[in-house]
Amino acid sequence: VTDKKEIATIRRKSLIRMFGGIDSVKFKETMTFFLIAARENELVGKESDEMKKAATIFAEGLNVATNGKLHPRTIEVLSIARPQYKAASVVPDLWSNDAFIVLPKQ
């Protein structure tokens, strides 16, 4: 392994090997959705240590499986009701250093 592109390829292959093609896509969709759901819970005052632990797991799952890329179709669909997510494409757009990022209102 010589560069980040090779590492990303190995990680993607491992995800497909673990779950199969369709379920690897479902994994990316659900990790993206649940990270945003955790963020939404925090925004309505339901922040807790458990929520932060969960968000950390969802973010790390995406970091390992997709190099931090959020599932674009999930973002597209969620952006219909929550336009502030439209520009989000990677985990650090939502979550960094065990805290949610403040997004501009749209």
Side-chain angles (χ1 to χ4, degrees):
V1 178
T2 58
D3 62 17
K4 290 181 181 182
K5 193 172 185 176
E6 280 185 16
I7 292 169
T9 301
I10 291 167
R11 286 178 174 166
R12 280 193 300 277
K13 284 182 181 177
S14 296
L15 187 64
I16 290 171
R17 214 175 294 137
M18 283 190 312
F19 296 117
I22 298 295
D23 286 341
S24 67
V25 173
K26 290 178 184 177
F27 176 86
K28 296 171 196 174
E29 290 171 346
T30 55
M31 290 298 106
T32 298
F33 180 83
F34 289 145
L35 180 60
I36 290 175
R39 185 177 190 284
E40 287 291 312
N41 277 326
E42 182 197 45
L43 292 175
V44 296
K46 295 182 180 177
E47 181 184 353
S48 67
D49 288 340
E50 289 82 23
M51 191 61 61
K52 283 190 174 189
K53 281 183 191 175
T56 299
I57 291 168
F58 306 141
E60 189 56 29
L62 286 163
N63 285 332
V64 170
T66 68
N67 287 328
K69 293 178 186 165
L70 301 170
H71 187 261
R73 179 70 178 136
T74 302
I75 294 297
E76 181 183 340
V77 171
L78 291 173
S79 295
I80 294 168
R82 296 281 196 259
Q84 66 268 34
Y85 294 115
K86 193 172 191 165
S89 63
V90 293
V91 169
D93 291 340
L94 302 174
W95 178 258
S96 182
N97 298 322
D98 295 330
F100 288 104
I101 303 300
V102 176
L103 297 175
K105 300 260 185 212
Q106 292 195 359

